[in-house]
Amino acid sequence: MALVAAQGDLPSQGIERTVHLGELGLDGRLRPVPGVLPALVAARGLGIDRAVVPLENLAEARLVDGISVDAAGDLATVLHRWGARIAPGPDPADRPGARGGDDAGAGDGTDADGTGPRSTLDFRDVLGQEQARFAAEVAAAGGHHLLLTGPPGAGKTMIAARIPGILPDLDTEDSLAVSAIHSVCGRFDARLGLRRRPPFESPHHTATAAAVVGGGSGIALPGAISRAHAGVLLLDEAPEFPARVLEALREPLETGDITLHRSGGTARYPARFQLVLAANPCPCGMSYGHGEACSCSPLQRRRYLHRLSGPIMDRIDMRLDVPPVDVHRLDSAAGESSAEIALRVAAARERQRRRFAGRPWHLNCQIPGPDLRRDLAPEPSQSRLLDHALAQGRLSLRGHDRVLRLAWTLADLAGAERPEAEHVGTALTLRDEDRR
């Protein structure tokens, strides 16, 4: 289209303010391409107010406000609409998916992975494990990272997989970002509208670094950590993941995005996810209690858990041991449902939203350290336990800040105005001591 316009064969004006996005086949047909949503968002930011896309991409293109979108089935039709002396192409109404945009936005973002409109997994199905359930609620309320360590069958994966079900719907900004990422991956169904539920990703421990972090030839595509943006990334059997994969998490855990360098160029994708790790206490998984059933040597146990390096562990807000469930001590009454827990999580997040109004963050887990220690520090009388742990070397400075963020979330769940000594003490318990 740029070449035809440069030749002076288009009498209509305004083509320089129009994006033509699609793949042109040798037969003149326009074929759909992935990534239409982020491309048009970027075009809108540059002042472009009109776009022409293939018919199959119309539903996705219409999700971008502020741009007038037209669709065509072939190049001849586009040229004809711009005033060229050429007959339009044949009527494409019978092409599969030709009018996929007619119902755009009618859906609720339901996804095949079970995260929309809301996960069907319910916390009511988890027997016992009150402390781990409470930690999952705290993690959801403040966006905190969580490590659950315990023997097989204790319920670690069950609890982690239910966290997305108690998270509130995505706001408009996150919904657009998540939808754009999945559009680039070719996993976005625009007929269902923008994705409104937090995503959930759980790669297998045999996954490569490219699958988890992102990669591929040419421009690197998003990996699991970017697809989990604004949602939950679960690494089950975390010590079994290659060290290269685990260490690659350090950058996104701190910055909230990931930059991938390839020969075809550099790509930066958002990766502000909530990390949940589940791990056995040793290779055989039976090192709990007195460890009588464990067949591992002390050196094997130590090496196994030390596959999670100190820098990674330092970035985990909560670390809990999940013991086996004692069926003889279970309460006959069922535990709380996900719907009940989700109400408390939503209320805590609303308190955070009001408190951080006008600031570039909206969750306790995102509070910068200087602001946390200056404007949001608890009263000295309420933080003696925390100061003592820091002075004794049981906490690093990063760990100190993460405990404070946890204390704020506990205060929000309790409806308190500021963290009290009880909240700080509970946060220290959930944090556990830093590894030395």
Side-chain angles (χ1 to χ4, degrees):
M1 293 305 299
L3 288 172
V4 174
Q7 293 174 173
D9 295 334
L10 297 181
S12 299
Q13 301 298 315
I15 192 172
E16 70 279 356
R17 296 183 57 81
T18 302
V19 167
H20 293 79
L21 185 62
E23 180 182 328
L24 178 61
L26 293 177
D27 59 356
R29 289 188 178 184
L30 302 184
R31 297 171 180 169
V33 293
V36 167
L37 182 63
L40 292 189
V41 169
R44 182 183 61 185
L46 295 174
I48 304 298
D49 56 11
R50 186 179 179 189
V52 180
V53 300
L55 286 164
E56 291 84 352
N57 288 132
L58 180 58
E60 184 174 344
R62 283 180 172 171
L63 295 175
V64 182
D65 295 329
I67 290 186
S68 175
V69 179
D70 195 9
D74 53 65
L75 180 61
T77 300
V78 179
L79 291 170
H80 176 77
R81 291 174 183 173
W82 279 109
R85 295 182 178 179
I86 185 173
D91 185 1
D94 295 332
R95 288 178 60 184
R99 292 298 172 186
D102 293 345
D103 297 324
D108 56 4
T110 303
D111 304 304
D113 60 7
T115 61
R118 188 176 287 275
S119 174
T120 57
L121 302 177
D122 200 307
F123 266 100
R124 193 184 294 276
D125 302 329
V126 181
L127 301 179
Q129 306 299 9
E130 288 81 6
Q131 187 181 33
R133 288 164 56 101
F134 175 68
E137 179 179 341
V138 175
H144 303 287
H145 307 309
L146 174 64
L147 167 63
L148 299 174
T149 306
K156 306 183 299 295
T157 306
M158 283 186 68
I159 293 171
R162 282 156 175 76
I163 293 178
I166 60 176
L167 294 174
D169 289 344
L170 300 175
D171 59 25
T172 302
E173 181 181 354
D174 283 339
S175 179
L176 190 60
V178 170
S179 300
I181 292 169
H182 285 77
S183 172
V184 172
C185 297
R187 301 184 175 191
F188 179 57
D189 188 351
R191 293 171 300 177
L192 300 175
L194 295 175
R195 292 180 59 123
R196 299 294 181 183
R197 293 297 305 151
F200 176 68
E201 292 285 333
S202 180
H204 193 261
H205 59 76
T206 57
T208 63
V212 177
V213 179
S217 59
I219 297 296
L221 292 178
I225 64 172
S226 292
R227 296 195 302 272
H229 176 70
V232 176
L233 176 68
L234 168 62
L235 299 187
D236 201 6
E237 306 292 347
E240 300 291 347
F241 278 81
R244 181 185 176 191
V245 173
L246 293 173
E247 295 306 311
L249 299 177
R250 291 162 63 172
E251 177 192 347
L253 285 175
E254 284 296 318
T255 64
D257 56 37
I258 182 71
T259 302
L260 303 172
H261 300 273
R262 295 294 185 273
S263 59
T266 300
R268 185 172 66 89
Y269 296 112
R272 179 176 44 79
F273 53 86
Q274 185 174 344
L275 179 62
V276 180
L277 305 176
N280 291 330
C282 65
C284 77
M286 305 306 289
S287 178
Y288 60 88
H290 295 294
E292 298 173 351
C294 178
S295 59
C296 304
S297 68
L299 181 60
Q300 286 177 312
R301 299 174 194 171
R302 183 176 180 84
R303 284 179 174 174
Y304 186 73
L305 285 182
H306 274 70
R307 293 180 184 177
L308 301 176
S309 67
I312 292 294
M313 291 291 289
D314 203 26
R315 290 165 169 83
I316 305 300
D317 302 286
M318 291 181 285
R319 310 136 176 196
L320 268 78
D321 290 327
V322 183
V325 177
D326 186 353
V327 295
H328 302 291
R329 300 179 60 183
L330 288 177
D331 190 351
S332 58
E336 286 185 301
S337 67
S338 291
E340 295 173 288
I341 301 173
L343 291 176
R344 293 197 296 269
V345 170
R349 289 207 170 195
E350 177 60 22
R351 292 178 66 89
Q352 295 168 63
R353 187 191 65 80
R354 293 197 304 266
R355 180 167 60 246
F356 302 138
R359 303 198 185 193
W361 65 85
H362 58 276
L363 287 176
N364 289 330
C365 67
Q366 301 166 352
I367 308 173
D371 294 83
L372 185 69
R373 295 186 294 270
R374 183 182 61 248
D375 303 329
L376 298 170
E379 297 295 332
S381 60
Q382 309 293 339
S383 60
R384 289 172 182 168
L385 283 175
L386 181 58
D387 297 338
H388 185 62
L390 182 63
Q392 285 189 325
R394 291 163 48 200
L395 285 177
S396 65
L397 184 58
R398 179 186 284 121
H400 172 277
D401 290 349
R402 292 189 178 276
V403 170
L404 273 185
R405 296 184 184 105
L406 270 178
W408 270 105
T409 300
L410 291 166
D412 288 330
L413 284 169
E417 291 299 322
R418 296 186 70 87
E420 300 174 358
E422 177 185 0
H423 304 131
V424 174
T426 303
L428 275 169
T429 302
L430 293 172
R431 168 75 180 183
D432 203 355
E433 293 186 0
D434 285 346
R435 179 188 293 175
R436 290 299 179 191

mmCIF file of all heavy atoms in Angstrom, residues 334-373:
data_model
loop_
_atom_site.group_PDB
_atom_site.id
_atom_site.type_symbol
_atom_site.label_atom_id
_atom_site.label_comp_id
_atom_site.label_asym_id
_atom_site.label_seq_id
_atom_site.Cartn_x
_atom_site.Cartn_y
_atom_site.Cartn_z
ATOM 1 N N ALA A 334 -16.750 -28.734 56.668
ATOM 2 C CA ALA A 334 -15.949 -28.427 55.485
ATOM 3 C C ALA A 334 -15.287 -27.067 55.651
ATOM 4 O O ALA A 334 -15.782 -26.186 56.356
ATOM 5 C CB ALA A 334 -16.822 -28.443 54.240
ATOM 6 N N GLY A 335 -14.137 -26.883 55.002
ATOM 7 C CA GLY A 335 -13.457 -25.603 55.048
ATOM 8 C C GLY A 335 -14.176 -24.549 54.238
ATOM 9 O O GLY A 335 -15.172 -24.821 53.547
ATOM 10 N N GLU A 336 -13.655 -23.320 54.314
ATOM 11 C CA GLU A 336 -14.279 -22.218 53.577
ATOM 12 C C GLU A 336 -14.144 -22.444 52.078
ATOM 13 O O GLU A 336 -13.170 -23.012 51.594
ATOM 14 C CB GLU A 336 -13.609 -20.900 53.961
ATOM 15 C CG GLU A 336 -13.982 -20.378 55.322
ATOM 16 C CD GLU A 336 -13.381 -19.012 55.567
ATOM 17 O OE1 GLU A 336 -12.145 -18.909 55.510
ATOM 18 O OE2 GLU A 336 -14.133 -18.049 55.798
ATOM 19 N N SER A 337 -15.129 -21.947 51.349
ATOM 20 C CA SER A 337 -15.090 -22.050 49.899
ATOM 21 C C SER A 337 -14.228 -20.936 49.319
ATOM 22 O O SER A 337 -13.919 -19.939 49.987
ATOM 23 C CB SER A 337 -16.507 -21.955 49.323
ATOM 24 O OG SER A 337 -17.036 -20.650 49.541
ATOM 25 N N SER A 338 -13.861 -21.086 48.065
ATOM 26 C CA SER A 338 -13.089 -20.047 47.388
ATOM 27 C C SER A 338 -13.868 -18.741 47.306
ATOM 28 O O SER A 338 -13.283 -17.653 47.384
ATOM 29 C CB SER A 338 -12.705 -20.512 45.976
ATOM 30 O OG SER A 338 -11.761 -21.563 46.030
ATOM 31 N N ALA A 339 -15.187 -18.833 47.159
ATOM 32 C CA ALA A 339 -16.001 -17.622 47.057
ATOM 33 C C ALA A 339 -15.928 -16.801 48.337
ATOM 34 O O ALA A 339 -15.854 -15.558 48.293
ATOM 35 C CB ALA A 339 -17.449 -17.987 46.742
ATOM 36 N N GLU A 340 -15.935 -17.473 49.495
ATOM 37 C CA GLU A 340 -15.842 -16.755 50.773
ATOM 38 C C GLU A 340 -14.476 -16.101 50.932
ATOM 39 O O GLU A 340 -14.370 -14.950 51.382
ATOM 40 C CB GLU A 340 -16.109 -17.721 51.929
ATOM 41 C CG GLU A 340 -17.522 -18.298 51.954
ATOM 42 C CD GLU A 340 -17.673 -19.374 53.011
ATOM 43 O OE1 GLU A 340 -17.123 -20.480 52.801
ATOM 44 O OE2 GLU A 340 -18.319 -19.117 54.040
ATOM 45 N N ILE A 341 -13.423 -16.818 50.581
ATOM 46 C CA ILE A 341 -12.078 -16.267 50.698
ATOM 47 C C ILE A 341 -11.892 -15.112 49.717
ATOM 48 O O ILE A 341 -11.262 -14.097 50.035
ATOM 49 C CB ILE A 341 -11.030 -17.363 50.444
ATOM 50 C CG1 ILE A 341 -11.199 -18.503 51.459
ATOM 51 C CG2 ILE A 341 -9.615 -16.804 50.515
ATOM 52 C CD1 ILE A 341 -10.314 -19.702 51.182
ATOM 53 N N ALA A 342 -12.461 -15.254 48.514
ATOM 54 C CA ALA A 342 -12.315 -14.220 47.488
ATOM 55 C C ALA A 342 -12.901 -12.891 47.945
ATOM 56 O O ALA A 342 -12.392 -11.823 47.567
ATOM 57 C CB ALA A 342 -12.976 -14.671 46.190
ATOM 58 N N LEU A 343 -13.953 -12.921 48.757
ATOM 59 C CA LEU A 343 -14.543 -11.672 49.262
ATOM 60 C C LEU A 343 -13.548 -10.926 50.145
ATOM 61 O O LEU A 343 -13.417 -9.700 50.060
ATOM 62 C CB LEU A 343 -15.830 -11.974 50.025
ATOM 63 C CG LEU A 343 -17.020 -12.461 49.192
ATOM 64 C CD1 LEU A 343 -18.195 -12.809 50.101
ATOM 65 C CD2 LEU A 343 -17.437 -11.397 48.179
ATOM 66 N N ARG A 344 -12.849 -11.646 51.022
ATOM 67 C CA ARG A 344 -11.855 -11.002 51.891
ATOM 68 C C ARG A 344 -10.670 -10.494 51.074
ATOM 69 O O ARG A 344 -10.128 -9.415 51.344
ATOM 70 C CB ARG A 344 -11.379 -11.975 52.966
ATOM 71 C CG ARG A 344 -12.455 -12.362 53.979
ATOM 72 C CD ARG A 344 -11.827 -12.979 55.220
ATOM 73 N NE ARG A 344 -11.150 -14.225 54.916
ATOM 74 C CZ ARG A 344 -11.720 -15.424 54.970
ATOM 75 N NH1 ARG A 344 -13.006 -15.522 55.296
ATOM 76 N NH2 ARG A 344 -11.036 -16.517 54.695
ATOM 77 N N VAL A 345 -10.255 -11.269 50.083
ATOM 78 C CA VAL A 345 -9.151 -10.839 49.230
ATOM 79 C C VAL A 345 -9.524 -9.567 48.482
ATOM 80 O O VAL A 345 -8.735 -8.616 48.397
ATOM 81 C CB VAL A 345 -8.774 -11.966 48.243
ATOM 82 C CG1 VAL A 345 -7.795 -11.458 47.191
ATOM 83 C CG2 VAL A 345 -8.166 -13.148 48.992
ATOM 84 N N ALA A 346 -10.735 -9.517 47.947
ATOM 85 C CA ALA A 346 -11.184 -8.330 47.208
ATOM 86 C C ALA A 346 -11.239 -7.105 48.121
ATOM 87 O O ALA A 346 -10.857 -6.002 47.720
ATOM 88 C CB ALA A 346 -12.549 -8.594 46.584
ATOM 89 N N ALA A 347 -11.701 -7.290 49.366
ATOM 90 C CA ALA A 347 -11.767 -6.172 50.302
ATOM 91 C C ALA A 347 -10.368 -5.664 50.645
ATOM 92 O O ALA A 347 -10.132 -4.450 50.730
ATOM 93 C CB ALA A 347 -12.504 -6.606 51.567
ATOM 94 N N ALA A 348 -9.412 -6.584 50.842
ATOM 95 C CA ALA A 348 -8.038 -6.179 51.155
ATOM 96 C C ALA A 348 -7.415 -5.440 49.977
ATOM 97 O O ALA A 348 -6.710 -4.438 50.153
ATOM 98 C CB ALA A 348 -7.206 -7.410 51.515
ATOM 99 N N ARG A 349 -7.677 -5.913 48.772
ATOM 100 C CA ARG A 349 -7.116 -5.236 47.595
ATOM 101 C C ARG A 349 -7.757 -3.866 47.379
ATOM 102 O O ARG A 349 -7.096 -2.952 46.890
ATOM 103 C CB ARG A 349 -7.302 -6.110 46.363
ATOM 104 C CG ARG A 349 -6.401 -7.345 46.355
ATOM 105 C CD ARG A 349 -6.099 -7.796 44.961
ATOM 106 N NE ARG A 349 -5.060 -8.817 44.936
ATOM 107 C CZ ARG A 349 -4.416 -9.184 43.843
ATOM 108 N NH1 ARG A 349 -4.687 -8.586 42.686
ATOM 109 N NH2 ARG A 349 -3.492 -10.115 43.884
ATOM 110 N N GLU A 350 -9.010 -3.723 47.747
ATOM 111 C CA GLU A 350 -9.650 -2.421 47.631
ATOM 112 C C GLU A 350 -9.022 -1.424 48.597
ATOM 113 O O GLU A 350 -8.836 -0.248 48.262
ATOM 114 C CB GLU A 350 -11.151 -2.551 47.889
ATOM 115 C CG GLU A 350 -11.923 -1.252 47.867
ATOM 116 C CD GLU A 350 -11.840 -0.516 46.547
ATOM 117 O OE1 GLU A 350 -11.558 -1.161 45.515
ATOM 118 O OE2 GLU A 350 -12.057 0.719 46.535
ATOM 119 N N ARG A 351 -8.672 -1.878 49.807
ATOM 120 C CA ARG A 351 -7.992 -1.005 50.762
ATOM 121 C C ARG A 351 -6.640 -0.553 50.183
ATOM 122 O O ARG A 351 -6.248 0.610 50.319
ATOM 123 C CB ARG A 351 -7.779 -1.742 52.086
ATOM 124 C CG ARG A 351 -9.062 -2.043 52.851
ATOM 125 C CD ARG A 351 -8.748 -2.822 54.130
ATOM 126 N NE ARG A 351 -7.991 -2.018 55.065
ATOM 127 C CZ ARG A 351 -8.527 -1.218 55.982
ATOM 128 N NH1 ARG A 351 -9.843 -1.112 56.065
ATOM 129 N NH2 ARG A 351 -7.773 -0.532 56.802
ATOM 130 N N GLN A 352 -5.931 -1.469 49.542
ATOM 131 C CA GLN A 352 -4.651 -1.113 48.934
ATOM 132 C C GLN A 352 -4.846 -0.130 47.787
ATOM 133 O O GLN A 352 -4.059 0.809 47.622
ATOM 134 C CB GLN A 352 -3.956 -2.378 48.433
ATOM 135 C CG GLN A 352 -3.558 -3.340 49.551
ATOM 136 C CD GLN A 352 -3.147 -4.707 49.036
ATOM 137 O OE1 GLN A 352 -2.169 -4.825 48.309
ATOM 138 N NE2 GLN A 352 -3.892 -5.735 49.407
ATOM 139 N N ARG A 353 -5.879 -0.351 46.983
ATOM 140 C CA ARG A 353 -6.128 0.544 45.853
ATOM 141 C C ARG A 353 -6.389 1.962 46.332
ATOM 142 O O ARG A 353 -5.868 2.929 45.758
ATOM 143 C CB ARG A 353 -7.324 0.035 45.042
ATOM 144 C CG ARG A 353 -7.565 0.805 43.742
ATOM 145 C CD ARG A 353 -8.895 0.438 43.131
ATOM 146 N NE ARG A 353 -10.001 0.853 43.982
ATOM 147 C CZ ARG A 353 -10.469 2.099 44.043
ATOM 148 N NH1 ARG A 353 -9.914 3.061 43.319
ATOM 149 N NH2 ARG A 353 -11.477 2.395 44.833
ATOM 150 N N ARG A 354 -7.172 2.111 47.397
ATOM 151 C CA ARG A 354 -7.453 3.448 47.932
ATOM 152 C C ARG A 354 -6.197 4.056 48.554
ATOM 153 O O ARG A 354 -5.940 5.256 48.386
ATOM 154 C CB ARG A 354 -8.575 3.378 48.964
ATOM 155 C CG ARG A 354 -9.935 3.003 48.382
ATOM 156 C CD ARG A 354 -11.047 3.355 49.356
ATOM 157 N NE ARG A 354 -10.861 2.722 50.656
ATOM 158 C CZ ARG A 354 -11.407 1.558 51.002
ATOM 159 N NH1 ARG A 354 -12.164 0.896 50.131
ATOM 160 N NH2 ARG A 354 -11.196 1.042 52.192
ATOM 161 N N ARG A 355 -5.420 3.263 49.255
ATOM 162 C CA ARG A 355 -4.234 3.787 49.934
ATOM 163 C C ARG A 355 -3.189 4.247 48.924
ATOM 164 O O ARG A 355 -2.499 5.244 49.167
ATOM 165 C CB ARG A 355 -3.649 2.709 50.852
ATOM 166 C CG ARG A 355 -2.403 3.173 51.609
ATOM 167 C CD ARG A 355 -2.026 2.239 52.737
ATOM 168 N NE ARG A 355 -1.728 0.899 52.285
ATOM 169 C CZ ARG A 355 -2.433 -0.176 52.578
ATOM 170 N NH1 ARG A 355 -3.523 -0.076 53.321
ATOM 171 N NH2 ARG A 355 -2.081 -1.362 52.140
ATOM 172 N N PHE A 356 -3.067 3.548 47.811
ATOM 173 C CA PHE A 356 -2.029 3.866 46.835
ATOM 174 C C PHE A 356 -2.565 4.660 45.647
ATOM 175 O O PHE A 356 -1.919 4.719 44.591
ATOM 176 C CB PHE A 356 -1.377 2.577 46.330
ATOM 177 C CG PHE A 356 -0.772 1.740 47.428
ATOM 178 C CD1 PHE A 356 -0.908 0.362 47.438
ATOM 179 C CD2 PHE A 356 -0.063 2.334 48.463
ATOM 180 C CE1 PHE A 356 -0.353 -0.408 48.445
ATOM 181 C CE2 PHE A 356 0.496 1.574 49.482
ATOM 182 C CZ PHE A 356 0.354 0.193 49.473
ATOM 183 N N ALA A 357 -3.735 5.257 45.798
ATOM 184 C CA ALA A 357 -4.297 6.060 44.705
ATOM 185 C C ALA A 357 -3.329 7.180 44.324
ATOM 186 O O ALA A 357 -2.803 7.890 45.191
ATOM 187 C CB ALA A 357 -5.641 6.647 45.125
ATOM 188 N N GLY A 358 -3.075 7.331 43.039
ATOM 189 C CA GLY A 358 -2.151 8.356 42.570
ATOM 190 C C GLY A 358 -0.702 7.932 42.547
ATOM 191 O O GLY A 358 0.164 8.709 42.135
ATOM 192 N N ARG A 359 -0.410 6.705 42.986
ATOM 193 C CA ARG A 359 0.962 6.204 42.954
ATOM 194 C C ARG A 359 1.101 5.167 41.845
ATOM 195 O O ARG A 359 0.114 4.583 41.405
ATOM 196 C CB ARG A 359 1.343 5.584 44.303
ATOM 197 C CG ARG A 359 1.189 6.558 45.471
ATOM 198 C CD ARG A 359 1.963 6.099 46.675
ATOM 199 N NE ARG A 359 1.741 6.949 47.837
ATOM 200 C CZ ARG A 359 2.479 6.906 48.929
ATOM 201 N NH1 ARG A 359 3.482 6.055 49.018
ATOM 202 N NH2 ARG A 359 2.218 7.706 49.957
ATOM 203 N N PRO A 360 2.327 4.901 41.415
ATOM 204 C CA PRO A 360 2.507 3.971 40.291
ATOM 205 C C PRO A 360 2.375 2.503 40.667
ATOM 206 O O PRO A 360 2.669 1.642 39.842
ATOM 207 C CB PRO A 360 3.925 4.294 39.806
ATOM 208 C CG PRO A 360 4.617 4.842 40.997
ATOM 209 C CD PRO A 360 3.578 5.579 41.782
ATOM 210 N N TRP A 361 1.995 2.185 41.879
ATOM 211 C CA TRP A 361 1.768 0.795 42.272
ATOM 212 C C TRP A 361 0.413 0.688 42.959
ATOM 213 O O TRP A 361 -0.154 1.681 43.419
ATOM 214 C CB TRP A 361 2.887 0.293 43.181
ATOM 215 C CG TRP A 361 2.970 0.995 44.497
ATOM 216 C CD1 TRP A 361 2.275 0.720 45.628
ATOM 217 C CD2 TRP A 361 3.800 2.128 44.820
ATOM 218 N NE1 TRP A 361 2.609 1.591 46.639
ATOM 219 C CE2 TRP A 361 3.537 2.460 46.173
ATOM 220 C CE3 TRP A 361 4.726 2.883 44.114
ATOM 221 C CZ2 TRP A 361 4.177 3.516 46.803
ATOM 222 C CZ3 TRP A 361 5.356 3.925 44.752
ATOM 223 C CH2 TRP A 361 5.098 4.233 46.072
ATOM 224 N N HIS A 362 -0.134 -0.525 43.022
ATOM 225 C CA HIS A 362 -1.453 -0.685 43.628
ATOM 226 C C HIS A 362 -1.551 -1.911 44.523
ATOM 227 O O HIS A 362 -2.624 -2.223 45.028
ATOM 228 C CB HIS A 362 -2.532 -0.762 42.537
ATOM 229 C CG HIS A 362 -2.332 -1.879 41.559
ATOM 230 N ND1 HIS A 362 -1.500 -1.773 40.466
ATOM 231 C CD2 HIS A 362 -2.860 -3.124 41.509
ATOM 232 C CE1 HIS A 362 -1.521 -2.895 39.785
ATOM 233 N NE2 HIS A 362 -2.333 -3.740 40.397
ATOM 234 N N LEU A 363 -0.440 -2.642 44.736
ATOM 235 C CA LEU A 363 -0.434 -3.791 45.631
ATOM 236 C C LEU A 363 0.710 -3.652 46.631
ATOM 237 O O LEU A 363 1.734 -3.037 46.338
ATOM 238 C CB LEU A 363 -0.265 -5.095 44.846
ATOM 239 C CG LEU A 363 -1.449 -5.590 44.023
ATOM 240 C CD1 LEU A 363 -1.060 -6.834 43.239
ATOM 241 C CD2 LEU A 363 -2.651 -5.886 44.912
ATOM 242 N N ASN A 364 0.530 -4.267 47.801
ATOM 243 C CA ASN A 364 1.575 -4.182 48.832
ATOM 244 C C ASN A 364 2.897 -4.775 48.357
ATOM 245 O O ASN A 364 3.969 -4.289 48.733
ATOM 246 C CB ASN A 364 1.103 -4.913 50.094
ATOM 247 C CG ASN A 364 0.001 -4.165 50.817
ATOM 248 O OD1 ASN A 364 -0.072 -2.936 50.772
ATOM 249 N ND2 ASN A 364 -0.880 -4.898 51.478
ATOM 250 N N CYS A 365 2.831 -5.829 47.543
ATOM 251 C CA CYS A 365 4.065 -6.470 47.088
ATOM 252 C C CYS A 365 4.888 -5.561 46.185
ATOM 253 O O CYS A 365 6.074 -5.828 45.951
ATOM 254 C CB CYS A 365 3.742 -7.770 46.357
ATOM 255 S SG CYS A 365 2.876 -7.537 44.792
ATOM 256 N N GLN A 366 4.300 -4.492 45.667
ATOM 257 C CA GLN A 366 4.981 -3.606 44.731
ATOM 258 C C GLN A 366 5.546 -2.346 45.387
ATOM 259 O O GLN A 366 6.163 -1.532 44.704
ATOM 260 C CB GLN A 366 4.008 -3.193 43.617
ATOM 261 C CG GLN A 366 3.442 -4.370 42.835
ATOM 262 C CD GLN A 366 2.246 -3.987 41.994
ATOM 263 O OE1 GLN A 366 1.731 -2.867 42.095
ATOM 264 N NE2 GLN A 366 1.778 -4.901 41.164
ATOM 265 N N ILE A 367 5.358 -2.168 46.699
ATOM 266 C CA ILE A 367 5.834 -0.948 47.361
ATOM 267 C C ILE A 367 7.354 -0.874 47.294
ATOM 268 O O ILE A 367 8.045 -1.800 47.734
ATOM 269 C CB ILE A 367 5.390 -0.913 48.841
ATOM 270 C CG1 ILE A 367 3.888 -1.137 48.974
ATOM 271 C CG2 ILE A 367 5.781 0.415 49.478
ATOM 272 C CD1 ILE A 367 3.426 -1.284 50.408
ATOM 273 N N PRO A 368 7.931 0.193 46.764
ATOM 274 C CA PRO A 368 9.397 0.329 46.758
ATOM 275 C C PRO A 368 9.947 0.402 48.177
ATOM 276 O O PRO A 368 9.290 0.926 49.096
ATOM 277 C CB PRO A 368 9.624 1.644 46.001
ATOM 278 C CG PRO A 368 8.357 1.895 45.247
ATOM 279 C CD PRO A 368 7.261 1.305 46.073
ATOM 280 N N GLY A 369 11.160 -0.121 48.351
ATOM 281 C CA GLY A 369 11.765 -0.153 49.664
ATOM 282 C C GLY A 369 11.858 1.198 50.354
ATOM 283 O O GLY A 369 11.487 1.328 51.536
ATOM 284 N N PRO A 370 12.357 2.249 49.686
ATOM 285 C CA PRO A 370 12.455 3.552 50.358
ATOM 286 C C PRO A 370 11.105 4.080 50.852
ATOM 287 O O PRO A 370 11.019 4.599 51.967
ATOM 288 C CB PRO A 370 13.035 4.466 49.257
ATOM 289 C CG PRO A 370 13.784 3.537 48.359
ATOM 290 C CD PRO A 370 12.996 2.271 48.352
ATOM 291 N N ASP A 371 10.057 3.937 50.044
ATOM 292 C CA ASP A 371 8.733 4.381 50.480
ATOM 293 C C ASP A 371 8.225 3.527 51.633
ATOM 294 O O ASP A 371 7.567 4.031 52.549
ATOM 295 C CB ASP A 371 7.735 4.301 49.309
ATOM 296 C CG ASP A 371 8.068 5.273 48.205
ATOM 297 O OD1 ASP A 371 8.925 4.948 47.365
ATOM 298 O OD2 ASP A 371 7.489 6.370 48.166
ATOM 299 N N LEU A 372 8.545 2.242 51.585
ATOM 300 C CA LEU A 372 8.096 1.330 52.628
ATOM 301 C C LEU A 372 8.711 1.684 53.975
ATOM 302 O O LEU A 372 8.022 1.694 55.009
ATOM 303 C CB LEU A 372 8.465 -0.103 52.228
ATOM 304 C CG LEU A 372 7.989 -1.232 53.131
ATOM 305 C CD1 LEU A 372 6.480 -1.374 53.058
ATOM 306 C CD2 LEU A 372 8.659 -2.537 52.728
ATOM 307 N N ARG A 373 9.994 2.006 53.970
ATOM 308 C CA ARG A 373 10.683 2.292 55.233
ATOM 309 C C ARG A 373 10.491 3.728 55.699
ATOM 310 O O ARG A 373 10.708 4.022 56.880
ATOM 311 C CB ARG A 373 12.182 2.001 55.065
ATOM 312 C CG ARG A 373 12.495 0.529 54.823
ATOM 313 C CD ARG A 373 13.993 0.264 54.816
ATOM 314 N NE ARG A 373 14.649 0.911 53.679
ATOM 315 C CZ ARG A 373 14.816 0.337 52.497
ATOM 316 N NH1 ARG A 373 14.348 -0.879 52.281
ATOM 317 N NH2 ARG A 373 15.433 0.981 51.523
#
